[in-house]
Amino acid sequence: YGSDENFTDQYKNEAKRVASAIGDTDGYTLYSGTAATVDKVAEAVSNGAVVFFDSHGMTDYENPDNEYDCSTKATNSYLCLTSTSGLTSEDYADGAKYYSDGIWINGATIANHMTKNSPGGILWMAICLGMATDTICLPLREMGVEVVYGYSESVSFDGDYRFERAFWDAMLAGDTVADAIANMKAKWG
């Protein structure tokens, strides 16, 4: 996202650790702020073995009686970007929404911009509400992404720091995704 002082370097550090472990000698590629365009996100998902979304997330629903309920009647989940660069009228027809602070895109928007299927990739969505609906994960799974993980509610990143550390510790030690998830849940609930 690149413009929220509450974000830390946790996911940047994890990306460096994962890149090193899988032998990516160039390290990881970071797209931050306005450099994180829909085309760069789609390219990363198409090419990347592992992609981290470290941003804000939202849905198309906000409960007027409970500001924390953005999921009970949601039909769309969004990744929030600060750049509208590259968006088309088709993207807006598929659910992308323009807001004064940037753009909210769903999985169909990302899939529209992918030039090829993902080579069995893993997407870790450190964004609120990314899994409140299947509108991010389903289109990306249809494009070959093997694993999509994220939150279904609005949360603090602190809890995910523990989850992702346990998950990636297990993965980098050679566990399967299923075993790494089971380990993560056993350790942190």
Side-chain angles (χ1 to χ4, degrees):
Y1 195 74
S3 64
D4 188 325
E5 68 273 358
N6 295 312
F7 286 10
T8 71
D9 288 339
Q10 176 78 18
Y11 299 106
K12 292 177 192 174
N13 294 335
E14 196 66 74
K16 288 177 190 175
R17 187 169 80 116
V18 170
S20 176
I22 64 175
D24 188 340
T25 56
D26 295 334
Y28 75 102
T29 302
L30 171 67
Y31 299 108
S32 181
T34 57
T37 65
V38 65
D39 290 321
K40 291 297 183 185
V41 170
E43 179 183 19
V45 173
S46 291
N47 294 335
V50 178
V51 175
F52 290 90
F53 287 172
D54 182 14
S55 186
H56 290 293
M58 192 52 177
T59 66
D60 58 359
Y61 174 73
E62 293 182 70
N63 185 335
D65 300 319
N66 179 352
E67 67 180 299
Y68 299 106
D69 175 16
C70 296
S71 59
T72 58
K73 295 182 182 179
T75 60
N76 231 318
S77 295
Y78 300 105
L79 165 66
C80 301
L81 301 178
T82 57
S83 173
T84 59
S85 176
L87 287 160
T88 67
S89 58
E90 181 179 310
D91 296 327
Y92 291 104
D94 280 342
K97 292 187 177 274
Y98 175 77
Y99 283 87
S100 60
D101 62 344
I103 190 75
W104 296 355
I105 62 173
N106 60 21
T109 309
I110 298 167
N112 287 345
H113 289 261
M114 290 175 69
T115 58
K116 62 183 178 182
N117 281 0
S118 174
I122 296 175
L123 171 59
W124 189 280
M125 295 192 296
I127 63 173
C128 291
L129 302 159
M131 300 290 279
T133 72
D134 64 1
T135 58
I136 293 179
C137 69
L138 185 59
L140 297 182
R141 294 273 296 128
E142 290 172 349
M143 292 297 292
V145 179
E146 289 292 327
V147 176
V148 180
Y149 170 86
Y151 315 132
S152 59
E153 299 291 335
S154 295
V155 296
S156 121
F157 286 127
D158 295 339
D160 191 54
Y161 292 165
R162 291 187 291 272
F163 270 54
E164 64 88 13
R165 175 59 72 171
F167 175 82
W168 288 107
D169 282 349
M171 287 291 290
L172 298 179
D175 281 4
T176 66
V177 169
D179 288 340
I181 291 286
N183 174 65
M184 176 183 82
K185 290 169 70 175
K187 186 169 186 175
W188 296 110

PDB file of all heavy atoms in Angstrom, residues 29-30 32 39 71 94 100 103 107-108 129 133 138 160 162 168 187:
ATOM      1  N   THR A  29      10.701  -8.743  -5.248  1.00  0.00           N
ATOM      2  CA  THR A  29      10.346  -7.493  -5.903  1.00  0.00           C
ATOM      3  C   THR A  29       9.231  -6.848  -5.102  1.00  0.00           C
ATOM      4  O   THR A  29       8.230  -7.487  -4.797  1.00  0.00           O
ATOM      5  CB  THR A  29       9.876  -7.746  -7.345  1.00  0.00           C
ATOM      6  OG1 THR A  29      10.913  -8.418  -8.053  1.00  0.00           O
ATOM      7  CG2 THR A  29       9.534  -6.448  -8.042  1.00  0.00           C
ATOM      8  N   LEU A  30       9.412  -5.581  -4.760  1.00  0.00           N
ATOM      9  CA  LEU A  30       8.428  -4.836  -3.991  1.00  0.00           C
ATOM     10  C   LEU A  30       7.783  -3.784  -4.885  1.00  0.00           C
ATOM     11  O   LEU A  30       8.477  -3.008  -5.547  1.00  0.00           O
ATOM     12  CB  LEU A  30       9.107  -4.145  -2.800  1.00  0.00           C
ATOM     13  CG  LEU A  30       8.259  -3.150  -2.014  1.00  0.00           C
ATOM     14  CD1 LEU A  30       7.120  -3.864  -1.289  1.00  0.00           C
ATOM     15  CD2 LEU A  30       9.127  -2.376  -1.030  1.00  0.00           C
ATOM     16  N   SER A  32       5.268  -0.731  -4.231  1.00  0.00           N
ATOM     17  CA  SER A  32       4.706   0.018  -3.123  1.00  0.00           C
ATOM     18  C   SER A  32       4.070   1.302  -3.625  1.00  0.00           C
ATOM     19  O   SER A  32       4.526   1.899  -4.601  1.00  0.00           O
ATOM     20  CB  SER A  32       5.818   0.335  -2.116  1.00  0.00           C
ATOM     21  OG  SER A  32       5.312   1.029  -1.014  1.00  0.00           O
ATOM     22  N   ASP A  39      -1.564  -3.890 -13.215  1.00  0.00           N
ATOM     23  CA  ASP A  39      -0.729  -4.684 -14.116  1.00  0.00           C
ATOM     24  C   ASP A  39       0.454  -5.309 -13.383  1.00  0.00           C
ATOM     25  O   ASP A  39       0.826  -6.452 -13.662  1.00  0.00           O
ATOM     26  CB  ASP A  39      -0.243  -3.823 -15.296  1.00  0.00           C
ATOM     27  CG  ASP A  39      -1.379  -3.474 -16.246  1.00  0.00           C
ATOM     28  OD1 ASP A  39      -2.245  -4.343 -16.487  1.00  0.00           O
ATOM     29  OD2 ASP A  39      -1.411  -2.329 -16.735  1.00  0.00           O
ATOM     30  N   SER A  71     -18.817  -7.873   6.531  1.00  0.00           N
ATOM     31  CA  SER A  71     -18.810  -9.159   5.841  1.00  0.00           C
ATOM     32  C   SER A  71     -20.159  -9.866   5.756  1.00  0.00           C
ATOM     33  O   SER A  71     -20.349 -10.659   4.844  1.00  0.00           O
ATOM     34  CB  SER A  71     -17.790 -10.095   6.499  1.00  0.00           C
ATOM     35  OG  SER A  71     -18.095 -10.296   7.858  1.00  0.00           O
ATOM     36  N   ASP A  94     -16.429  -5.554 -13.996  1.00  0.00           N
ATOM     37  CA  ASP A  94     -16.201  -6.763 -13.199  1.00  0.00           C
ATOM     38  C   ASP A  94     -16.121  -6.484 -11.699  1.00  0.00           C
ATOM     39  O   ASP A  94     -15.872  -7.392 -10.917  1.00  0.00           O
ATOM     40  CB  ASP A  94     -14.914  -7.465 -13.643  1.00  0.00           C
ATOM     41  CG  ASP A  94     -15.108  -8.302 -14.885  1.00  0.00           C
ATOM     42  OD1 ASP A  94     -16.267  -8.626 -15.206  1.00  0.00           O
ATOM     43  OD2 ASP A  94     -14.108  -8.647 -15.525  1.00  0.00           O
ATOM     44  N   SER A 100     -11.656   7.905  -3.564  1.00  0.00           N
ATOM     45  CA  SER A 100     -10.785   9.076  -3.576  1.00  0.00           C
ATOM     46  C   SER A 100      -9.343   8.739  -3.216  1.00  0.00           C
ATOM     47  O   SER A 100      -8.419   9.432  -3.638  1.00  0.00           O
ATOM     48  CB  SER A 100     -11.322  10.138  -2.610  1.00  0.00           C
ATOM     49  OG  SER A 100     -11.367   9.617  -1.294  1.00  0.00           O
ATOM     50  N   ILE A 103      -8.036   2.777  -5.717  1.00  0.00           N
ATOM     51  CA  ILE A 103      -8.916   1.822  -6.385  1.00  0.00           C
ATOM     52  C   ILE A 103      -9.017   0.563  -5.552  1.00  0.00           C
ATOM     53  O   ILE A 103      -8.072   0.171  -4.884  1.00  0.00           O
ATOM     54  CB  ILE A 103      -8.381   1.509  -7.809  1.00  0.00           C
ATOM     55  CG1 ILE A 103      -9.394   0.711  -8.616  1.00  0.00           C
ATOM     56  CG2 ILE A 103      -7.042   0.793  -7.753  1.00  0.00           C
ATOM     57  CD1 ILE A 103     -10.542   1.534  -9.114  1.00  0.00           C
ATOM     58  N   GLY A 107     -10.534 -10.204  -7.550  1.00  0.00           N
ATOM     59  CA  GLY A 107      -9.766 -11.208  -8.273  1.00  0.00           C
ATOM     60  C   GLY A 107     -10.035 -11.205  -9.773  1.00  0.00           C
ATOM     61  O   GLY A 107      -9.139 -11.489 -10.568  1.00  0.00           O
ATOM     62  N   ALA A 108     -11.265 -10.868 -10.173  1.00  0.00           N
ATOM     63  CA  ALA A 108     -11.568 -10.789 -11.604  1.00  0.00           C
ATOM     64  C   ALA A 108     -10.738  -9.693 -12.266  1.00  0.00           C
ATOM     65  O   ALA A 108     -10.238  -9.864 -13.378  1.00  0.00           O
ATOM     66  CB  ALA A 108     -13.060 -10.546 -11.828  1.00  0.00           C
ATOM     67  N   LEU A 129     -10.516  -8.602   5.207  1.00  0.00           N
ATOM     68  CA  LEU A 129     -11.705  -8.957   4.433  1.00  0.00           C
ATOM     69  C   LEU A 129     -11.422  -9.601   3.080  1.00  0.00           C
ATOM     70  O   LEU A 129     -12.334  -9.767   2.276  1.00  0.00           O
ATOM     71  CB  LEU A 129     -12.609  -7.719   4.257  1.00  0.00           C
ATOM     72  CG  LEU A 129     -13.060  -7.085   5.568  1.00  0.00           C
ATOM     73  CD1 LEU A 129     -13.492  -5.648   5.365  1.00  0.00           C
ATOM     74  CD2 LEU A 129     -14.171  -7.917   6.190  1.00  0.00           C
ATOM     75  N   THR A 133     -15.521 -12.914   0.973  1.00  0.00           N
ATOM     76  CA  THR A 133     -16.229 -13.519  -0.155  1.00  0.00           C
ATOM     77  C   THR A 133     -15.186 -14.289  -0.961  1.00  0.00           C
ATOM     78  O   THR A 133     -13.990 -14.216  -0.670  1.00  0.00           O
ATOM     79  CB  THR A 133     -16.886 -12.454  -1.058  1.00  0.00           C
ATOM     80  OG1 THR A 133     -15.863 -11.758  -1.785  1.00  0.00           O
ATOM     81  CG2 THR A 133     -17.707 -11.452  -0.251  1.00  0.00           C
ATOM     82  N   LEU A 138     -11.379 -17.061  -5.807  1.00  0.00           N
ATOM     83  CA  LEU A 138     -11.885 -17.927  -6.873  1.00  0.00           C
ATOM     84  C   LEU A 138     -11.305 -17.595  -8.248  1.00  0.00           C
ATOM     85  O   LEU A 138     -10.792 -18.488  -8.930  1.00  0.00           O
ATOM     86  CB  LEU A 138     -13.411 -17.924  -6.893  1.00  0.00           C
ATOM     87  CG  LEU A 138     -14.060 -18.885  -7.883  1.00  0.00           C
ATOM     88  CD1 LEU A 138     -13.659 -20.328  -7.603  1.00  0.00           C
ATOM     89  CD2 LEU A 138     -15.581 -18.746  -7.851  1.00  0.00           C
ATOM     90  N   ASP A 160      -1.634 -11.865  12.578  1.00  0.00           N
ATOM     91  CA  ASP A 160      -1.120 -12.524  11.382  1.00  0.00           C
ATOM     92  C   ASP A 160       0.395 -12.643  11.405  1.00  0.00           C
ATOM     93  O   ASP A 160       0.943 -13.560  10.818  1.00  0.00           O
ATOM     94  CB  ASP A 160      -1.565 -11.805  10.111  1.00  0.00           C
ATOM     95  CG  ASP A 160      -1.257 -12.643   8.874  1.00  0.00           C
ATOM     96  OD1 ASP A 160      -1.693 -13.809   8.830  1.00  0.00           O
ATOM     97  OD2 ASP A 160      -0.542 -12.145   7.983  1.00  0.00           O
ATOM     98  N   ARG A 162       2.154 -13.615  13.813  1.00  0.00           N
ATOM     99  CA  ARG A 162       2.415 -14.917  14.437  1.00  0.00           C
ATOM    100  C   ARG A 162       2.035 -16.051  13.493  1.00  0.00           C
ATOM    101  O   ARG A 162       2.764 -17.030  13.366  1.00  0.00           O
ATOM    102  CB  ARG A 162       1.660 -15.026  15.759  1.00  0.00           C
ATOM    103  CG  ARG A 162       2.194 -14.111  16.839  1.00  0.00           C
ATOM    104  CD  ARG A 162       1.531 -14.363  18.178  1.00  0.00           C
ATOM    105  NE  ARG A 162       0.133 -13.963  18.204  1.00  0.00           N
ATOM    106  CZ  ARG A 162      -0.301 -12.746  18.519  1.00  0.00           C
ATOM    107  NH1 ARG A 162       0.565 -11.803  18.850  1.00  0.00           N
ATOM    108  NH2 ARG A 162      -1.570 -12.471  18.536  1.00  0.00           N
ATOM    109  N   TRP A 168       5.385 -20.019   7.560  1.00  0.00           N
ATOM    110  CA  TRP A 168       6.580 -20.006   6.719  1.00  0.00           C
ATOM    111  C   TRP A 168       7.747 -20.752   7.361  1.00  0.00           C
ATOM    112  O   TRP A 168       8.562 -21.355   6.659  1.00  0.00           O
ATOM    113  CB  TRP A 168       6.951 -18.578   6.310  1.00  0.00           C
ATOM    114  CG  TRP A 168       5.952 -18.073   5.306  1.00  0.00           C
ATOM    115  CD1 TRP A 168       4.974 -17.150   5.506  1.00  0.00           C
ATOM    116  CD2 TRP A 168       5.785 -18.538   3.964  1.00  0.00           C
ATOM    117  NE1 TRP A 168       4.230 -16.999   4.377  1.00  0.00           N
ATOM    118  CE2 TRP A 168       4.703 -17.836   3.410  1.00  0.00           C
ATOM    119  CE3 TRP A 168       6.448 -19.469   3.180  1.00  0.00           C
ATOM    120  CZ2 TRP A 168       4.256 -18.040   2.102  1.00  0.00           C
ATOM    121  CZ3 TRP A 168       6.013 -19.675   1.869  1.00  0.00           C
ATOM    122  CH2 TRP A 168       4.933 -18.964   1.345  1.00  0.00           C
ATOM    123  N   LYS A 187      -0.534 -24.083  16.844  1.00  0.00           N
ATOM    124  CA  LYS A 187       0.276 -23.190  17.656  1.00  0.00           C
ATOM    125  C   LYS A 187      -0.491 -21.955  18.129  1.00  0.00           C
ATOM    126  O   LYS A 187      -0.330 -21.521  19.263  1.00  0.00           O
ATOM    127  CB  LYS A 187       1.518 -22.783  16.874  1.00  0.00           C
ATOM    128  CG  LYS A 187       2.510 -21.977  17.667  1.00  0.00           C
ATOM    129  CD  LYS A 187       3.825 -21.815  16.948  1.00  0.00           C
ATOM    130  CE  LYS A 187       4.834 -21.112  17.854  1.00  0.00           C
ATOM    131  NZ  LYS A 187       6.139 -21.042  17.235  1.00  0.00           N
TER     132      LYS A 187
END
